[in-house]
């Protein structure tokens, strides 16, 4: 059974955007890109949810959770992050930039791009939720603006909770499919390398198209923005927690955990230094 649902969940009404300390955040270009890009990806999460619901059709429990909890919470993240962007950077035409992003991003959201088995896709989702939780914890630690710190902390906690659900569903499907650790490890390694994915690159380009159109056609500038974002995540990363979350679907004996931790650290190093 999945973890017990929280009886209450925060809502956008719990965030007092009037309390934003503009002096602490408005001039921070790096945080602007981090929050704006996240708002795009979260706001487009219904496209991915549709694919997952189709992929797990016939599993009423997973379908129900995806539709009524995961999708709703992800879309709320998008609304809250959009509201934050519009309060701090009102000159940024969020809707125009997002529409451009969505037109491209929808091409990446296809059922055929999911993992070959249900268990492997759930393992992949564990990696993605690890990455998003890490990303929002980095924002929370990188800023001293109290409203953004609160919002990033709330979203990070949601992503950890989502991870727990995907992990529990993974365990059920792993048992049903009888897949071994080698295939699980392949999925985990591949998806870890994809944490800095085309989704993030797509979001950066479309934010830049509206925010700094003169720079949008310069691949070196796009890479520079992406590198700044990666450094922020890396400098606020707690590798022990991240590695533990990524490795958990392998369910390794303690001795093997120690043996495999080093290569996973190296893999993470590659991801966040690129």
């Amino acid at each position: 059974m999945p973890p017990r649902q929280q009886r209450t969940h925060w809502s956008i009404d719990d965030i007092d955007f009037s309390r934003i300390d503009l002096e602490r955040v408005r001039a921070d270009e790096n945080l602007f890109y981090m929050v704006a890009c996240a708002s795009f990806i979260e706001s487009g999460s219904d496209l991915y949810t549709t694919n997952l619901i189709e992929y797990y059709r016939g599993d009423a429990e997973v379908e129900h959770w995806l539709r009524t909890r995961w999708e709703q919470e992800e879309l709320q993240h998008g609304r809250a992050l959009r509201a934050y962007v519009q309060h701090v950077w009102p000159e940024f035409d969020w809707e125009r930039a997002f529409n451009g992003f969505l037109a491209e991003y929808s091409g990446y959201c296809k059922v055929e791009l999911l993992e070959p088995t249900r268990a492997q896709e759930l393992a992949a989702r564990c990696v993605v939720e690890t990455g998003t939780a890490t990303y929002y914890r980095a924002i929370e630690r990188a800023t001293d603006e109290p409203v953004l710190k609160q919002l990033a902390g709330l979203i990070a906690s949601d992503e950890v909770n989502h991870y727990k659900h995907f992990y529990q569903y993974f365990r059920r499907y792993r048992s049903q499919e009888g897949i071994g650790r080698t295939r699980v490890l392949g999925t985990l390694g591949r998806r870890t390398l994809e944490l800095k994915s085309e989704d993030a690159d797509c979001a950066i380009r479309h934010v830049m198209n509206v925010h700094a159109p003169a720079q949008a056609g310069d691949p070196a500038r796009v890479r520079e923005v992406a590198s700044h974002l990666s450094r922020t995540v890396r400098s606020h990363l707690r590798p022990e927690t991240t590695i533990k979350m990524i490795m958990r679907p392998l369910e390794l004996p303690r001795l093997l955990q120690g043996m495999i931790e080093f290569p996973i650290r190296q893999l993470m190093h590659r991801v966040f230094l690129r």
Side-chain angles (χ1 to χ4, degrees):
M1 293 295 292
R4 182 178 299 174
Q5 296 280 12
Q6 297 176 345
R7 291 188 177 182
T8 61
H9 186 264
W10 67 275
S11 76
I12 194 170
D13 294 332
D14 297 324
I15 310 298
D16 184 357
F17 294 100
S18 68
R19 292 179 51 249
I20 295 173
D21 187 341
L22 293 175
E23 291 186 2
R24 292 178 184 266
V25 70
R26 179 164 166 78
D28 193 325
E29 186 87 346
N30 187 55
L31 278 177
F32 164 73
Y33 274 103
M34 292 192 81
V35 178
C37 289
S39 73
F40 283 8
I41 294 170
E42 299 278 11
S43 297
S45 59
D46 54 332
L47 295 173
Y48 201 91
T49 311
T50 299
N51 291 338
L52 284 179
I53 290 172
E54 176 62 29
Y55 196 54
Y56 290 95
R57 188 163 303 282
D59 187 327
E61 182 181 346
V62 175
E63 283 189 58
H64 178 76
W65 180 77
L66 288 170
R67 183 179 291 109
T68 64
R69 294 301 301 255
W70 190 65
E71 179 179 32
Q72 298 308 310
E73 291 177 10
E74 295 291 291
L75 291 175
Q76 178 175 268
H77 298 167
R79 290 192 297 272
L81 292 165
R82 173 182 180 174
Y84 189 91
V85 170
Q86 292 178 322
H87 273 76
V88 179
W89 300 280
E91 71 281 2
F92 177 65
D93 190 342
W94 189 94
E95 187 168 3
R96 180 162 70 90
F98 175 69
N99 287 339
F101 164 79
L102 196 62
E104 181 179 348
Y105 181 64
S106 60
Y108 304 149
C109 300
K110 299 177 181 178
V111 173
E112 56 265 31
L113 297 179
L114 301 180
E115 294 292 323
T117 76
R118 288 180 167 186
Q120 286 174 274
E121 178 58 30
L122 289 163
R125 294 310 314 171
C126 287
V127 174
V128 173
E129 298 300 332
T130 299
T132 52
T134 299
Y135 185 87
Y136 289 113
R137 288 298 181 206
I139 294 178
E140 181 186 22
R141 294 167 186 148
T143 185
D144 60 358
E145 198 293 296
V147 177
L148 181 55
K149 186 177 286 289
Q150 175 196 13
L151 178 57
L154 289 169
I155 296 176
S157 295
D158 281 351
E159 303 295 359
V160 171
N161 188 49
H162 297 167
Y163 172 98
K164 292 176 181 177
H165 280 78
F166 283 120
Y167 174 68
Q168 292 297 328
Y169 296 139
F170 160 78
R171 294 191 72 194
R172 170 155 62 85
Y173 273 103
R174 182 206 58 201
S175 177
Q176 291 176 10
E177 296 174 6
I179 65 170
R181 290 193 180 107
T182 300
R183 291 173 68 186
V184 174
L185 179 60
T187 296
L188 298 179
R190 181 170 60 255
R191 293 308 287 264
T192 299
L193 284 171
E194 293 173 359
L195 278 177
K196 285 178 58 180
S197 65
E198 58 192 5
D199 297 5
D201 292 341
C202 177
I204 290 170
R205 287 196 306 273
H206 287 282
V207 170
M208 192 174 287
N209 280 341
V210 172
H211 177 67
Q215 302 174 4
D218 181 359
R221 175 57 181 153
V222 175
R223 289 194 299 271
E224 182 183 9
V225 171
S227 178
H228 279 301
L229 268 60
S230 292
R231 283 201 297 272
T232 300
V233 174
R234 186 172 70 253
S235 63
H236 296 281
L237 181 69
R238 293 185 177 171
E240 292 76 16
T241 300
T242 304
I243 290 172
K244 182 178 179 180
M245 290 175 70
I246 290 175
M247 289 176 57
R248 192 177 183 190
L250 290 172
E251 299 190 335
L252 294 169
R254 186 175 299 276
L255 179 61
L256 287 178
Q257 285 180 13
M259 294 172 61
I260 203 169
E261 183 173 320
F262 177 76
I264 290 182
R265 279 182 180 271
Q266 296 300 104
L267 186 61
M268 287 174 53
H269 188 70
R270 283 184 58 192
V271 168
F272 291 112
L273 278 179
R274 287 189 302 174

